[in-house]
Amino acid sequence: MILEQIHDPQDLKKLTNEELHTLVDEAREALLQKVSRHGGHNGPNLGVAEMTVALHYVFDSPKDKIIFDVSHQSYFHKMLTGRAQAFIDPAHYDDVSGYTNSKESEHDLFTVGHTSTSLALASGVAKARDLKGEDDNVVAIIGDGSLSGGLAYEGLNNIIELGTNTIVIVNDNDQSIAENHGGLYRNLRELRASNGQVENNFFKALGFEYHYLDNGNDLDALIALFQQVKDTDHPVLLHIHTIKGKGFKFAEENREKFHAGGPFSLETGEYLSAGNKKDTYNSVTTEYLMKKMAADPTIVAVNAGTPMVLFNQEQRAKVGKQFVDVGIAEQQAATMLAGLAKNGVKPVWAVTSTFMQRSFDQISHDLALNDLPGTILVYGASVHGMNDESHIGIFDIPFMSHIPNVVYLAPTNKEEYLAMLDWSLEQTDHPVAIRVPVGALKETGVADTTDYSQLYKNQVTKVGSKVALVGVGNFYSLAEEIAKELDAKYEIQATIINPKFISGLDTDLLDHLTDDHQLVVTLEDGIVDGGYGQTIASYLGNTDVRVQNYGLEKAFHDRYNAAELLQENGVTVENITEQIVKALKGKHVLSANESTR
């Protein structure tokens, strides 16, 4: 097997043309075997097998700097840079990240997992090269879907301003995660239809030397094109038309389905978890919004390039103009939300926590400063969300809850969640964000009748004394478990609080707790630093009540096991119960994630 003999990109340069073609076939088969068993980004990678082999055959990594955008198309790059075993041997499938990672290899210049970054990164790398008087090539690879992000335009603009060697490869497979949206994509379609010859050319207008390759899965043509532009002294853009999912029939036929996913059948193309039809927080959101939108034409759902979070293709067609996909452009989504709200409709934006952080200024300046009633549904904000260090969603509470005017809500079950969502869409006073619960759908069967217009009023679900357990959102059930443990082992009747609001404090309740409580314990599914618990600790700082804050250490936790990470951070029923008892006995011992006041 030729792939097993590739330990460094230099090994490719020793291969014959026939062997290079064989290598492409072997690498694609290895990828299919791995992603069908293990899951991962299948479609984006299948489409760039030839491109990646050609890149490493022509260029000289790591001297030449190859920078991947998003980097979920970097699997073949990893195979060719000493990490093939992670794609050949099932025992080593988890040895590498699904994204470029500078801790893995000198050939991965950056650890990156968010979109539209490669061009700005390349402009900095190229400028540094020029300042040092070096002569390496800087190659930035960006998908057509990533071009929708504003940072991509800024990168293109600055690459032209530098005016020196930067080779931009636009991997155009006419697809983002789902279908592309926006005016730029009309120009890309025109360029593809005219073999790159249409008069209106966005890239030429910016100042790039432009080359178009229609068959971007032709290895020989790619090698020739890369050899032609290598060592250029000015910015060059290669517009390369590839097939997303190339070599796997089901992925070529349904590009959205096979952007990424878990294990699947190579014979049928069906994901192995497809038989699970239980309701989820995603499905109840979809059902609620479709009914609400059918009854109220002023409700509009906004998404930034991940429409399947809300609606499948059939459902998107059904809701029609009441659904807007802005492409992978969270800043656009946040500010568009403000514009929609200002002009009298009821907008709701569904976004994954890790991607929402890309739009902090727009949420703060455009939505919150103007105090506009847009709704943000925050998905994946949990230790049980995505676990690659570039995609973790545990940082939302500190940055979201401290923006003035934003009402941040943390439901604990389906009934609370839908009540919050309904209130948010109908109120006209503030921007509202809802931390969509993560995990199995929890139902009480009892409608939530909370008046959410009474801001920052917490719910005491069990009245006790001595110790109060504040369980935020996903961790409310943890508070219940700890309360049971305290009762069963120590006959301590703890107060249990469901705060619901995490962007402000119920000061009346906290003041009341000081009468007959010695300890307040906060539990939140996110980082402790700057979180909701520390806000409570600060408020109670001048009282005799001690506060223990439990959550996660502020760090980029990478490919972790959630149970193990919680154990490491002291977030277990056993440890927290032990710390509570010690504190109540006056034998207080600090845990890893604890602050006292």
Side-chain angles (χ1 to χ4, degrees):
M1 189 178 190
I2 295 174
L3 180 58
E4 292 178 311
Q5 302 169 25
I6 304 300
H7 305 292
D8 184 90
Q10 293 302 315
D11 294 333
L12 271 74
K13 302 179 190 304
K14 305 169 188 175
L15 301 180
T16 66
N17 183 266
E18 181 180 354
E19 288 172 328
L20 288 172
H21 281 268
T22 301
L23 176 62
V24 168
D25 294 337
E26 290 179 356
R28 185 172 271 125
E29 179 60 25
L31 176 66
L32 277 171
Q33 290 298 326
K34 176 173 179 175
V35 294
S36 67
R37 300 176 188 178
H38 182 270
H41 285 88
N42 35 61
N45 283 287
L46 288 167
V48 297
E50 293 85 0
M51 181 189 294
T52 311
V53 170
L55 271 171
H56 281 296
Y57 181 74
V58 173
F59 293 97
D60 300 301
S61 178
K63 179 180 184 293
D64 290 330
K65 308 300 189 294
I66 299 174
I67 304 168
F68 288 89
D69 200 279
V70 187
S71 77
H72 56 46
Q73 75 282 58
S74 63
Y75 292 9
F76 292 119
H77 162 77
K78 295 195 175 199
M79 292 186 203
L80 303 178
T81 53
R83 291 166 279 180
Q85 188 179 31
F87 296 86
I88 297 172
D89 184 350
H92 291 273
Y93 279 171
D94 289 318
D95 286 0
V96 299
S97 165
Y99 306 87
T100 54
N101 190 308
S102 56
K103 294 187 284 290
E104 286 181 9
S105 171
E106 63 179 342
H107 299 282
D108 290 7
L109 201 58
F110 294 97
T111 297
V112 63
H114 285 182
T115 191
S116 312
T117 61
S118 63
L119 303 178
L121 291 170
S123 69
V125 170
K127 180 65 175 178
R129 174 205 58 203
D130 296 346
L131 290 171
K132 295 189 294 180
E134 297 172 346
D135 62 355
D136 49 284
N137 291 276
V138 176
V139 183
I141 300 139
I142 186 167
D144 54 318
S146 295
L147 286 174
S148 60
L151 187 58
Y153 299 106
E154 296 170 34
L156 288 170
N157 186 54
N158 281 277
I159 287 169
I160 289 297
E161 177 66 17
L162 287 176
T164 56
N165 172 298
T166 303
I167 299 167
V168 176
I169 298 175
V170 175
N171 173 37
D172 182 0
N173 55 35
D174 190 24
Q175 183 87 2
S176 183
I177 298 173
E179 67 275 5
N180 284 319
H181 294 277
L184 172 66
Y185 297 105
R186 283 195 290 271
N187 191 226
L188 290 182
R189 285 193 291 272
E190 293 169 350
L191 287 165
R192 290 194 302 270
S194 65
N195 201 35
Q197 299 303 308
V198 71
E199 182 178 356
N200 293 322
N201 184 314
F202 172 75
F203 305 110
K204 282 186 176 180
L206 285 172
F208 281 96
E209 177 188 318
Y210 173 88
H211 299 261
Y212 178 76
L213 178 61
D214 189 59
N215 187 353
N217 295 103
D218 182 333
L219 177 62
D220 297 329
L222 286 161
I223 290 173
L225 179 59
F226 293 161
Q227 288 173 333
Q228 179 183 347
V229 301
K230 184 183 180 184
D231 300 325
T232 180
D233 64 356
H234 58 277
V236 172
L237 188 138
L238 311 180
H239 181 186
I240 298 175
H241 179 206
T242 59
I243 298 173
K244 189 170 186 176
K246 174 71 174 177
F248 184 53
K249 178 173 74 79
F250 300 109
E252 290 185 29
E253 292 173 350
N254 194 332
R255 296 176 296 172
E256 180 175 326
K257 177 180 178 181
F258 280 94
H259 174 77
F264 59 88
S265 167
L266 288 170
E267 289 72 33
T268 67
E270 291 302 317
Y271 284 104
L272 300 185
S273 62
N276 185 356
K277 300 297 183 182
K278 292 183 179 179
D279 282 342
T280 64
Y281 285 104
N282 288 58
S283 68
V284 299
T285 305
T286 300
E287 180 182 4
Y288 167 85
L289 283 176
M290 291 195 72
K291 288 181 179 178
K292 191 81 171 175
M293 293 163 82
D296 186 347
T298 67
I299 294 177
V300 59
V302 178
N303 186 262
T306 56
M308 65 292 300
V309 170
L310 284 180
F311 305 125
N312 62 30
Q313 291 166 296
E314 181 181 344
Q315 291 164 337
R316 298 199 293 267
K318 187 172 183 179
V319 298
K321 293 182 178 180
Q322 287 177 264
F323 176 74
V324 180
D325 185 348
V326 301
I328 308 179
E330 289 79 11
Q331 292 171 297
Q332 163 69 22
T335 297
M336 187 176 188
L337 201 71
L340 288 164
K342 183 67 175 181
N343 208 22
V345 300
K346 304 170 184 176
V348 54
W349 173 31
V351 60
T352 304
S353 177
T354 184
F355 302 139
M356 180 181 66
Q357 64 199 37
R358 290 157 50 86
S359 60
F360 175 82
D361 186 61
Q362 286 67 41
I363 295 172
S364 176
H365 184 272
D366 302 328
L367 190 66
L369 179 60
N370 289 282
D371 209 5
L372 294 165
T375 299
I376 304 174
L377 301 181
V378 184
Y379 287 86
S382 171
V383 67
H384 297 288
M386 290 184 280
N387 71 346
D388 187 276
E389 63 183 332
S390 66
H391 278 69
I392 50 179
I394 58 174
F395 303 120
D396 60 300
I397 295 177
F399 84 74
M400 197 68 164
S401 65
H402 298 305
I403 299 175
N405 295 329
V406 171
V407 178
Y408 202 11
L409 298 166
T412 69
N413 56 56
K414 170 187 172 181
E415 288 79 8
E416 287 179 1
Y417 171 50
L418 293 181
M420 291 173 180
L421 178 51
D422 197 71
W423 168 75
S424 178
L425 286 173
E426 297 302 329
Q427 61 87 36
T428 58
D429 296 323
H430 302 291
V432 174
I434 304 174
R435 206 172 197 246
V436 181
V438 173
L441 185 71
K442 295 180 180 178
E443 299 183 72
T444 66
V446 179
D448 178 16
T449 58
T450 302
D451 180 1
Y452 287 100
S453 66
Q454 300 298 308
L455 298 182
Y456 310 123
K457 293 301 179 184
N458 297 171
Q459 180 185 18
V460 177
T461 56
K462 180 186 175 185
V463 177
S465 62
K466 295 185 179 179
V467 58
L469 303 169
V470 183
V472 177
N474 298 320
F475 276 9
Y476 175 75
S477 59
L478 178 61
E480 292 183 311
E481 292 177 46
I482 295 167
K484 289 179 182 177
E485 187 82 354
L486 288 169
D487 185 15
K489 289 188 175 181
Y490 303 101
E491 296 184 349
I492 296 172
Q493 300 294 317
T495 296
I496 304 177
I497 298 170
N498 174 8
K500 296 189 178 181
F501 297 89
I502 51 177
S503 52
L505 299 180
D506 187 341
T507 55
D508 289 340
L509 175 60
L510 292 176
D511 290 342
H512 179 70
L513 290 179
T514 62
D515 295 337
D516 55 359
H517 288 72
Q518 302 169 36
L519 179 67
V520 172
V521 177
T522 67
L523 312 161
E524 59 192 301
D525 192 359
I527 62 171
V528 170
D529 287 15
Y532 180 72
Q534 288 195 346
T535 305
I536 289 179
S538 177
Y539 181 79
L540 294 174
N542 289 325
T543 72
D544 293 331
V545 176
R546 288 176 170 176
V547 180
Q548 294 179 352
N549 300 139
Y550 290 92
L552 300 172
E553 177 190 5
K554 182 178 67 176
F556 292 112
H557 305 286
D558 189 26
R559 288 171 285 161
Y560 57 81
N561 175 281
E564 292 175 359
L565 184 61
L566 290 171
Q567 177 85 30
E568 292 168 9
N569 284 264
V571 187
T572 65
V573 172
E574 296 75 20
N575 179 62
I576 297 171
T577 301
E578 180 183 348
Q579 299 301 328
I580 288 171
V581 172
K582 287 179 179 179
L584 293 178
K585 289 180 178 179
K587 298 178 181 178
H588 183 61
V589 179
L590 287 175
S591 65
N593 273 324
E594 186 179 350
S595 64
T596 58
R597 297 290 186 273

